[in-house]
Amino acid sequence: MYRILVLFFIFTLSGWCEPIHFKETRYINALQTTLYKEGWINIHEDSLELHYPKEKKSFLFTRDAIIEKKGEEEKILTYEEHLGLTIFSKLIKSIYTNQPDELKEFFTLKKEKGITLLIPNEPISNSVDTIEYKKNHALLEFLKINFTNEDWINIVENK
Amino acid sequence: MKIGSISLKINNSINLLILLFLIVLVFAFDSFKSISTQLHTLLPKSEQKELLQEFNAFQSTKKILLSVKGFDENALNTIKKLEQTLIQIEALSLESFKPNSALEKYKKEYRFYIHDFQDNTIETLDINTQLESLKSNILNADFSYVVDQQDPLNLLTKEKKPDSLSFLNGHLILKDYGYLSVFNLDSSLQSLQQYEHIYDSIHTVISSNEEIKVFSPIFYFVENSRMIKEDVNKIIFFSTLVLLALYILILRNLKLLLNTLMTLTSSILLALLLTSFIFDTLSIFVIVFGISISTVAIDYMFHHYVHHHYNEKKAFNKEVFLGMITSLGAFFILSFIAFDLIKQLCFFAIISLLFSYIQFAFLYPKIGFLQKNNSLSTLRKSSVTIPPKRIIVFSLVLIALSFTYMKFDSNLENLDVNNTQLKETEAFFNRHLTLEKNIPVLIKASSIDELISHARTLKKAFPKANIPLSILVDEKEFPLKKSALKNKPLDSIKMQLEEKASLFGFQKNYFINAYTYPLENPNYSLETLKRLNLDVLPYKNDFITYAYLPENKKEAFYAYGFLQNLSLKDMFEKSLVALYNELIFYGVLTMAFIVFMVVFSTKRNYLISFCYIVFPLSIVLSLSFLMSFNILHLFMMFILLSISIDFGIYMAAKNINKNSYKAVLYSLLSTFAGFGVLVFSHINALFSIGIIATLGIVAVTFLLILLKRSSYDAQNI
């Protein structure tokens, strides 16, 4: 009951924030396929929401856990066991709150021609090769995650 | 006249000159450096003892755990700040938990040799279903799906990751508590001084409180050693007070007091100096014990003093000489036992007693001390006295009864300090890291391959055990595994997989590396193992590594001949069993020597002398009704025996008089100052010595009051 109330408030409050809409392109090297998704993000002080409306899928990143919703089904995931999602939420939050230093514990940061390059430390470097992003004022021009298996994800914020 | 005055001055200062000379020698040879507070120094020289020291050289034994309570930002910042400060301490580095890339590469390369195939997976394999499921996983992944290109069909068993380590916000955590950091200590750190430096450096940064917990096995070395030293200092202080009281109230001769203190100090320094030449390390217990034994030598001074040897020209005191020679003889015989602790004690006692005797018997009459009367009268004999025969019969019955109750506690760890606070902190970390109660063992083999083979044998028998080396494939197992792999239809599976994969949309050659394995035997050297971060050390002509095995399966794993037991208790028991015949032989020889010396010295009065030997012994042995005996109880009984012999010889002497009683009474008080005060110690080892001494003193006092002795009692003083 308590969890439902918390979720209710968070989702209701999110209505007062301005959601960030984006397009996601994902290349899968094994299948040589590219997938396209659309979604929106809402950033709160203590949490972050990620929604893929067409897929009827959402993630709520709270302080203690990740709550995944797929249709009517709801799952609580731990940060420890879902390193990919953990990194993704940290990335989004630090980029939008302009706090790249938050990423220093996971990455070595470099900046070249307005593009920020993140070189992952262990153990992330086992799966992520590099991450690069460019922000134009508040707008995220792109965020590209290159994986070691030659997959990549590119996220572009809608203007 | 002038020559006489110069000679008197030399005699007066010779004691001081000897003391100063010995102080210089002790500091010049740094004799104190050889004193060790470590329990293993009590063990006799053996391969296991050497291996125990080798084990301490392994990196795995030198970790420091730090935890800050809570999972909030404050806790994270606190632990990060502490990490930054602590890594500034020399020889301390932060454990990164980064997988060793060389080891990861090895595990990947020899994966088909390391892991077994899952039961029936090949027989029931449906490649289409597996590929469909794999494709679905890839397409529906939230981030990126990592395909196991070596074993995409999940035929092999998976490597189980330790579930005790968890991460939050990129930092290691202790489940249900807070953030955790693990530090490594440089493996070159070996000495107590180095441990103390690390300990103090850490504790100046971290003041231990409820929110911050810090633990390392090396803290036991530092804290226990300090606790022992603190206790010993207190006891030495108390002992000095008792001795001072004895001199000030009874002897009231400052010159004699100062000279006696100088003699005793010199005897201790000489004994320390010479024993440190013979032995590399001296147990702190030997030093404490030795200092206590050295105070027994005061008896020699008392007897000479009360019988006016220092203020009148008197003949050689035969009784004191015979008492001394009997004690020395007993220690000399016992020193043949091949047990370092006994040897060290015996050498220390022989040197200090002999040195003190020479000074008290030959130097002091030359220095000359005036005898002063004191207000304390000697013990009054009771109107009721007991004949020696009755005391001897009673004592023998009590000894026989005591033996039926006697239990021996061979666990050396019970002698150590009970450091409850540190034990609690250790238990806290073990609980939160969900570590099973494992005990360390060493695996020994004549070659690296044999060592790996032993490690793997153990891992199969005890799958939950922590045996780092068992990850490797050994020389013998490799061809067997290779032929087993050849007998599996892996080539056909791979061919079908590649064919069908393209139908499911996988790119060409995506599974080209699937189900391939190396055909060459891996070669191991100490260098390659070091690169793999696996601890193997050469030991003489062999190689050793460590393992942590479940304590509750102790009986089962010690059945493996290649395992070396590192338990102090087991080692001590084993060495005692090995020494059993020797202990019995030299024990009987010592007793025979004592009996001979007593009969030789006291002739017709030998029954009185025997009373002073058997009665204190029976009282002390009756402790077995209340507690188990440990090794120090037994050693102290030998010491008590030698003191009793002195008293027996003095009290059975023909020319016994009031002064003899006085001397024995003073001796008892000084013995209490030397040994008896240890009864106030919190350390079981020292308490064991103290309780025996105190009971012995009580028994001798009882004899002084109640033992019937025809010639002297008739005088009724």
Side-chain angles (χ1 to χ4, degrees):
Chain A
M1 184 64 193
Y2 172 74
R3 210 170 58 208
I4 293 167
L5 271 174
V6 170
L7 281 174
F8 172 78
F9 279 115
I10 289 169
F11 279 89
T12 318
L13 282 169
S14 68
W16 300 340
C17 307
E18 194 67 34
I20 302 156
H21 291 267
F22 66 87
K23 278 195 181 81
E24 180 184 309
T25 311
R26 187 171 153 217
Y27 174 73
I28 301 164
N29 180 47
L31 301 168
Q32 289 182 308
T33 306
T34 309
L35 301 177
Y36 302 94
K37 280 188 198 174
E38 283 184 4
W40 54 269
I41 300 161
N42 233 338
I43 301 165
H44 310 281
E45 201 180 321
D46 278 342
S47 64
L48 186 142
E49 292 170 61
L50 172 65
H51 291 261
Y52 295 103
K54 281 184 189 162
E55 286 80 11
K56 289 180 183 166
K57 198 173 179 179
S58 71
F59 295 94
L60 175 66
F61 298 92
T62 68
R63 212 185 63 167
D64 301 323
I66 307 163
I67 300 162
E68 184 191 16
K69 242 184 147 184
K70 210 171 177 183
E72 291 305 306
E73 200 186 327
E74 189 185 294
K75 266 198 265 179
I76 296 178
L77 315 173
T78 62
Y79 281 106
E80 299 147 37
E81 285 165 11
H82 295 82
L83 190 62
L85 286 170
T86 310
I87 294 162
F88 186 76
S89 67
K90 290 244 171 217
L91 266 174
I92 294 294
K93 208 161 182 191
S94 65
I95 290 171
Y96 279 101
T97 53
N98 290 319
Q99 288 173 320
D101 283 355
E102 296 276 307
L103 298 170
K104 275 186 180 168
E105 64 186 78
F106 300 106
F107 303 96
T108 307
L109 275 71
K110 278 184 187 171
K111 206 161 183 178
E112 276 173 26
K113 294 173 189 168
I115 296 172
T116 307
L117 181 70
L118 307 177
I119 298 154
N121 305 331
E122 295 262 13
I124 301 167
S125 60
N126 288 333
S127 53
V128 177
D129 189 24
T130 53
I131 295 174
E132 44 193 347
Y133 70 87
K134 190 176 181 187
K135 253 186 109 180
N136 190 354
H137 300 295
L139 189 85
L140 179 68
E141 283 194 13
F142 72 90
L143 164 67
K144 193 176 180 195
I145 305 166
N146 299 302
F147 296 95
T148 48
N149 61 0
E150 293 178 49
D151 287 5
W152 53 257
I153 294 174
N154 193 32
I155 290 169
V156 177
E157 188 183 331
N158 296 349
K159 287 179 185 167
Chain B
M1 184 69 188
K2 265 191 173 177
I3 294 168
S5 148
I6 292 167
S7 148
L8 192 69
K9 274 186 182 171
I10 291 172
N11 283 340
N12 275 335
S13 50
I14 193 159
N15 218 347
L16 180 67
L17 289 173
I18 291 170
L19 175 64
L20 292 175
F21 179 64
L22 284 169
I23 290 173
V24 170
L25 281 183
V26 163
F27 279 100
F29 288 100
D30 205 0
S31 305
F32 289 109
K33 208 178 166 186
S34 58
I35 300 171
S36 166
T37 53
Q38 305 309 309
L39 265 186
H40 64 72
T41 53
L42 291 179
L43 291 169
K45 259 186 195 168
S46 69
E47 191 182 88
Q48 269 183 314
K49 185 178 167 182
E50 283 177 29
L51 286 170
L52 179 67
Q53 282 158 317
E54 292 290 330
F55 173 76
N56 289 333
F58 282 122
Q59 189 68 45
S60 74
T61 60
K62 295 194 180 98
K63 300 264 184 220
I64 292 172
L65 303 172
L66 166 74
S67 184
V68 174
K69 196 176 181 178
F71 297 103
D72 53 24
E73 219 172 306
N74 270 348
L76 186 61
N77 288 336
T78 308
I79 202 159
K80 279 184 180 173
K81 270 184 203 159
L82 286 174
E83 281 173 358
Q84 289 311 310
T85 319
L86 290 178
I87 54 168
Q88 305 299 321
I89 300 170
E90 210 187 322
L92 214 67
S93 59
L94 192 63
E95 170 80 66
S96 64
F97 288 95
K98 283 179 193 166
N100 175 293
S101 54
L103 185 62
E104 291 305 305
K105 197 178 158 204
Y106 172 91
K107 285 201 279 191
K108 205 172 167 186
E109 192 177 350
Y110 291 98
R111 193 171 160 197
F112 287 88
Y113 293 91
I114 297 168
H115 297 284
D116 292 322
F117 281 85
Q118 294 188 58
D119 292 338
N120 299 323
T121 42
I122 293 182
E123 292 79 357
T124 57
L125 181 66
D126 180 347
I127 297 176
N128 287 332
T129 315
Q130 290 280 346
L131 281 173
E132 205 173 311
S133 156
L134 184 64
K135 189 178 174 181
S136 164
N137 286 340
I138 294 170
L139 290 172
N140 294 315
D142 296 317
F143 208 52
S144 170
Y145 189 85
V146 180
V147 178
D148 180 353
Q149 284 176 282
Q150 269 186 306
D151 176 29
L153 303 171
N154 286 321
L155 302 182
L156 290 173
T157 53
K158 299 274 177 239
E159 186 184 356
K160 219 184 155 200
K161 298 241 157 78
D163 55 1
S164 51
L165 295 178
S166 310
F167 291 84
L168 181 68
N169 291 325
H171 203 285
L172 199 61
I173 57 158
L174 261 191
K175 276 179 187 164
D176 308 321
Y177 186 77
Y179 288 99
L180 170 75
S181 302
V182 181
F183 297 87
N184 288 321
L185 275 169
D186 198 298
S187 57
S188 64
L189 292 185
Q190 292 283 342
S191 72
L192 183 64
Q193 282 89 337
Q194 288 169 317
Y195 289 165
E196 281 185 324
H197 171 69
I198 296 286
Y199 179 89
D200 291 335
S201 307
I202 291 172
H203 284 83
T204 48
V205 177
I206 303 162
S207 51
S208 206
N209 59 46
E210 279 305 303
E211 305 289 304
I212 303 171
K213 289 191 186 287
V214 59
F215 171 78
S216 170
I218 69 153
F219 290 179
Y220 278 115
F221 293 94
V222 180
E223 288 189 9
N224 288 9
S225 140
R226 285 183 181 176
M227 283 159 103
I228 292 174
K229 276 182 189 158
E230 202 180 304
D231 209 67
V232 167
N233 284 341
K234 258 192 273 173
I235 298 240
I236 288 174
F237 174 73
F238 191 52
S239 162
T240 313
L241 274 188
V242 176
L243 279 177
L244 281 177
L246 178 71
Y247 282 90
I248 293 164
L249 297 173
I250 302 172
L251 288 181
R252 296 191 300 165
N253 188 329
L254 188 65
K255 188 182 166 191
L256 181 60
L257 165 69
L258 292 176
N259 273 280
T260 309
L261 287 178
M262 280 194 274
T263 298
L264 294 182
T265 314
S266 300
S267 75
I268 292 163
L269 291 177
L270 182 70
L272 173 66
L273 181 75
L274 296 183
T275 40
S276 70
F277 286 153
I278 305 167
F279 302 97
D280 295 337
T281 49
L282 294 172
S283 167
I284 184 93
F285 294 123
V286 171
I287 304 304
V288 174
F289 225 19
I291 290 173
S292 300
I293 290 171
S294 67
T295 62
V296 170
I298 299 175
D299 293 2
Y300 309 148
M301 183 276 290
F302 281 134
H303 281 276
H304 282 101
Y305 179 69
V306 297
H307 288 107
H308 304 279
H309 282 257
Y310 298 158
N311 59 338
E312 291 170 20
K313 261 212 155 171
K314 284 234 166 184
F316 178 67
N317 191 324
K318 206 173 105 190
E319 281 76 29
V320 177
F321 174 75
L322 286 171
M324 183 274 298
I325 214 74
T326 312
S327 302
L328 250 58
F331 284 123
F332 180 72
I333 295 169
L334 291 172
S335 73
F336 283 95
I337 298 172
F339 199 146
D340 269 1
L341 180 68
I342 302 178
K343 271 189 196 296
Q344 289 178 5
L345 266 175
C346 291
F347 283 133
F348 201 103
I350 291 171
I351 296 163
S352 66
L353 289 180
L354 188 62
F355 176 87
S356 300
Y357 174 79
I358 292 169
Q359 287 217 342
F360 291 137
F362 304 109
L363 179 64
Y364 278 42
K366 286 203 178 341
I367 298 173
F369 299 95
L370 285 176
Q371 185 136 8
K372 293 181 181 174
N373 288 327
N374 62 62
S375 53
L376 261 81
S377 62
T378 184
L379 281 174
R380 286 198 176 275
K381 288 296 286 186
S382 161
S383 53
V384 183
T385 52
I386 308 168
K389 274 185 187 168
R390 282 194 194 170
I391 299 239
I392 290 173
V393 171
F394 169 80
S395 305
L396 292 176
V397 171
L398 193 58
I399 289 173
L401 267 176
S402 304
F403 272 112
T404 58
Y405 279 85
M406 196 178 271
K407 273 183 199 150
F408 189 69
D409 178 7
S410 58
N411 192 352
L412 276 187
E413 274 150 14
N414 289 343
L415 297 176
D416 206 354
V417 181
N418 188 14
N419 192 342
T420 44
Q421 208 178 343
L422 197 58
K423 278 182 185 169
E424 272 173 27
T425 315
E426 184 182 16
F428 162 84
F429 279 106
N430 285 346
R431 204 169 49 245
H432 283 276
L433 286 167
T434 56
L435 294 177
E436 279 192 40
K437 191 136 175 102
N438 285 341
I439 53 170
V441 291
L442 277 186
I443 309 172
K444 197 176 86 166
S446 56
S447 69
I448 292 176
D449 271 301
E450 197 187 358
L451 197 67
I452 299 166
S453 168
H454 291 337
R456 286 185 72 80
T457 309
L458 280 177
K459 188 69 181 173
K460 275 177 198 152
F462 310 101
K464 283 187 175 176
N466 174 12
I467 313 166
L469 204 64
S470 66
I471 193 74
L472 304 182
V473 193
D474 63 283
E475 200 179 23
K476 273 186 202 162
E477 204 179 359
F478 188 83
L480 299 175
K481 281 258 181 183
K482 192 162 80 176
S483 80
L485 285 170
K486 277 189 176 168
N487 290 334
K488 292 198 187 291
L490 294 180
D491 289 340
S492 131
I493 290 171
K494 186 182 173 179
M495 210 192 293
Q496 287 181 61
L497 173 71
E498 284 192 294
E499 274 172 23
K500 291 179 180 178
S502 59
L503 300 176
F504 279 88
F506 285 92
Q507 66 162 291
K508 204 183 169 192
N509 293 335
Y510 189 71
F511 295 112
I512 196 155
N513 292 324
Y515 304 107
T516 54
Y517 48 87
L519 301 171
E520 291 301 311
N521 213 336
N523 282 319
Y524 306 110
S525 65
L526 285 175
E527 251 328 286
T528 52
L529 294 177
K530 200 177 171 188
R531 270 203 301 277
L532 298 173
N533 208 15
L534 294 167
D535 277 329
V536 173
L537 290 176
Y539 171 73
K540 293 179 183 169
N541 292 325
D542 295 320
F543 294 91
I544 51 169
T545 189
Y546 67 87
Y548 285 89
L549 301 180
E551 195 182 26
N552 55 4
K553 294 191 175 143
K554 214 168 145 184
E555 294 302 317
F557 62 69
Y558 281 140
Y560 293 94
F562 51 78
L563 275 191
Q564 299 291 322
N565 185 344
L566 294 178
S567 151
L568 275 177
K569 179 180 182 286
D570 294 344
M571 269 191 225
F572 191 62
E573 275 176 2
K574 206 175 155 190
S575 50
L576 275 188
V577 169
L579 283 174
Y580 185 76
N581 289 337
E582 238 179 285
L583 284 172
I584 296 290
F585 175 74
Y586 287 107
V588 170
L589 201 64
T590 307
M591 287 305 289
F593 173 74
I594 291 169
V595 170
F596 168 76
M597 286 304 287
V598 165
V599 175
F600 172 78
S601 316
T602 57
K603 300 199 170 72
R604 273 189 297 177
N605 280 341
Y606 69 92
L607 278 183
I608 292 173
S609 208
F610 280 146
C611 282
Y612 280 90
I613 297 170
V614 291
F615 184 66
L617 191 67
S618 69
I619 296 297
V620 160
L621 282 175
S622 65
L623 257 186
S624 62
F625 300 131
L626 304 170
M627 58 173 79
S628 304
F629 274 78
N630 60 44
I631 186 75
L632 293 179
H633 282 128
L634 296 184
F635 287 160
M636 189 57 211
M637 273 197 265
F638 279 108
I639 310 300
L640 183 70
L641 207 64
S642 69
I643 300 167
S644 309
I645 295 161
D646 284 352
F647 291 163
I649 291 174
Y650 303 153
M651 297 311 290
K654 274 188 216 163
N655 55 348
I656 187 172
N657 56 28
K658 182 183 172 182
N659 289 334
S660 303
Y661 275 85
K662 216 189 243 180
V664 169
L665 181 66
Y666 294 168
S667 299
L668 283 179
L669 284 169
S670 67
T671 306
F672 181 74
F675 287 115
V677 288
L678 297 178
V679 81
F680 301 112
S681 173
H682 293 110
I683 299 156
N684 199 17
L686 302 184
F687 172 79
S688 304
I689 299 170
I691 187 78
I692 299 286
T694 307
L695 284 177
I697 289 164
V698 170
V700 174
T701 313
F702 175 88
L703 289 178
L704 284 179
I705 300 169
L706 289 169
L707 183 66
K708 190 173 183 178
R709 193 191 182 284
S710 51
S711 60
Y712 176 61
D713 292 342
Q715 297 169 31
N716 197 21
I717 295 169

